[in-house]
Amino acid sequence: MNASTIAARLALSPGSITRVQGIEVGHHTDTRRPTGCSVVIARAGAVGGVDVRGAAPGTRETDLLHPTNLVERVHAVLLAGGSAWGLDAASGAVRWLEEQGVGLDVRYARLPLVPAAVLFDLGVGDARIRPDAASGYAACAAASSEPPAEGNVGAGAGACVGKVFGMGHAMKGGIGTASVTVEGVTVGALIACNALGDVVDPDTGAVIAGARTEGGRQLRDTRRALLRGELPKPVLAGTNTTIGVIATDAQITKAQAHRLAVVSHDGLARAINPVHTMSDGDTLFTLGTGASGRALGMMALATMAAEVTAVATLRAVLCARGITTADGLWLPAAGDL
């Protein structure tokens, strides 16, 4: 896909997750190496849900989102690079939110509830540099309701895709966003794509970014290569992962939030192949602010959630820029081939 085609495809894509009433987004990108974190804030609280499909997740505070558990509303979701170390960034988000007076009233204090998930980007640059509490704090301080930056920023800064045949054949991933509005209700997604598999256009099935051929200048098409019998390279569990947040301003219950997280993975399956592998920790959160004051049937909401997830995943690679690390690893972007 050349640069002009990418520009045309991006121009057709819908808006951002911040079109959802009550949602703000902030990024922090560490300039010392490609890594960072992103936060989705709901200051007034939002009904939360989560669904973990990958076999190697790195998460925090996911159990409280189960429909049968006590807490109904959370105040932010934190997405970060840095593998399990990156979960520390959520502590910084909690501190910032507490300073703003945001959180659950527990009588003695206001306790911000911030579920989090991380992706593995330690193979891109100096692995000793990863998001920490200061990074999470900075992401919150930068948050706004403006359309967030996409590509090589925040949790997508060190993301890459197409690693089935080794990092030497991978391409640059990133973070993307999209939204759709129906009957006055908006559903939006923010997706950090660090998939083991390829990213494909959900409308055409064409491979957009992923594993490259031996020459490095063409796409291999991982699905077809595996079906031809080409052998994948050994991959450490958890060294990949696509994570994200799907938000809506519809009025929903906690059980409905959970169901939206479940069906949002359909969007990942339309845009990533293979997906939900033993080496991915694919995790999607949902937030329902209810700020539109409207309800919408679950059939429509589920369709919207899967759609924006697929489009945001595609945008994550379309907006990415190619990089070469200090140790010579070349990760081209979709427009570079």
Side-chain angles (χ1 to χ4, degrees), residues 30-119:
D30 196 321
T31 57
R32 296 173 296 168
R33 86 159 175 99
T35 193
C37 61
S38 303
V39 66
V40 180
I41 298 174
R43 291 177 187 250
V47 177
V50 68
D51 188 43
V52 180
R53 292 287 180 91
T59 58
R60 163 176 165 155
E61 297 276 37
T62 51
D63 283 352
L64 66 82
L65 297 176
H66 191 278
T68 63
N69 289 342
L70 178 65
V71 171
E72 282 285 331
R73 305 176 77 83
V74 298
H75 306 95
V77 174
L78 193 285
L79 311 174
S83 190
W85 283 292
L87 290 172
D88 188 35
S91 298
V94 169
R95 179 163 62 88
W96 187 88
L97 289 165
E98 183 185 17
E99 291 175 2
Q100 309 306 308
V102 175
L104 174 68
D105 185 355
V106 292
R107 184 176 177 182
Y108 304 103
R110 283 199 170 272
L111 175 61
L113 298 174
V114 184
V118 292
L119 55 79

Side-chain angles (χ1 to χ4, degrees), residues 17-18 20 22-26 39-43 96 140 143-145:
I17 192 174
T18 52
V20 175
I23 291 296
E24 301 171 55
V25 172
V39 66
V40 180
I41 298 174
R43 291 177 187 250
W96 187 88
C140 290
S144 78
S145 57

Side-chain angles (χ1 to χ4, degrees), residues 26-29 34-39 78-82 117-119 121 131 151-159 172 174-175 190-194 243:
H27 298 302
H28 177 262
T29 306
T35 193
C37 61
S38 303
V39 66
L78 193 285
L79 311 174
V118 292
L119 55 79
D121 60 4
N152 298 25
V153 296
K172 188 69 184 72
I175 195 165
L190 183 75
I191 304 293
C193 185
N194 186 55
I243 52 179

Side-chain angles (χ1 to χ4, degrees), residues 34-294:
T35 193
C37 61
S38 303
V39 66
V40 180
I41 298 174
R43 291 177 187 250
V47 177
V50 68
D51 188 43
V52 180
R53 292 287 180 91
T59 58
R60 163 176 165 155
E61 297 276 37
T62 51
D63 283 352
L64 66 82
L65 297 176
H66 191 278
T68 63
N69 289 342
L70 178 65
V71 171
E72 282 285 331
R73 305 176 77 83
V74 298
H75 306 95
V77 174
L78 193 285
L79 311 174
S83 190
W85 283 292
L87 290 172
D88 188 35
S91 298
V94 169
R95 179 163 62 88
W96 187 88
L97 289 165
E98 183 185 17
E99 291 175 2
Q100 309 306 308
V102 175
L104 174 68
D105 185 355
V106 292
R107 184 176 177 182
Y108 304 103
R110 283 199 170 272
L111 175 61
L113 298 174
V114 184
V118 292
L119 55 79
F120 186 103
D121 60 4
L122 302 179
V124 182
D126 187 344
R128 295 170 296 180
I129 299 170
R130 50 249 182 177
D132 55 14
S135 304
Y137 189 98
C140 290
S144 78
S145 57
E146 294 298 312
E150 300 173 88
N152 298 25
V153 296
C160 49
V161 300
K163 292 161 278 187
V164 171
F165 300 101
M167 280 291 289
H169 299 284
M171 292 178 65
K172 188 69 184 72
I175 195 165
T177 187
S179 67
V180 63
T181 301
V182 174
E183 297 292 331
V185 166
T186 300
V187 177
L190 183 75
I191 304 293
C193 185
N194 186 55
L196 177 67
D198 297 343
V199 175
V200 303
D201 188 321
D203 287 337
T204 67
V207 179
I208 304 302
R212 292 173 287 131
T213 57
E214 292 303 321
R217 293 289 176 177
Q218 292 181 311
L219 291 164
R220 188 188 299 241
D221 192 333
T222 295
R223 177 175 68 91
R224 288 187 168 86
L226 291 172
L227 292 174
R228 283 194 301 267
E230 294 187 32
L231 297 178
K233 297 286 186 182
V235 180
L236 287 174
T239 53
N240 305 283
T241 298
T242 297
I243 52 179
V245 180
I246 294 84
T248 181
D249 47 27
Q251 295 177 326
I252 58 173
T253 66
K254 196 174 179 185
Q256 288 173 324
H258 171 71
R259 178 51 50 182
L260 286 181
V262 170
V263 299
S264 294
H265 279 277
D266 294 349
L268 286 191
R270 295 173 196 167
I272 301 172
N273 197 334
V275 70
H276 304 142
T277 74
M278 293 296 291
S279 297
D280 286 289
D282 301 329
T283 301
L284 295 180
F285 297 93
T286 47
L287 297 172
T289 68
S292 71
R294 296 169 177 253

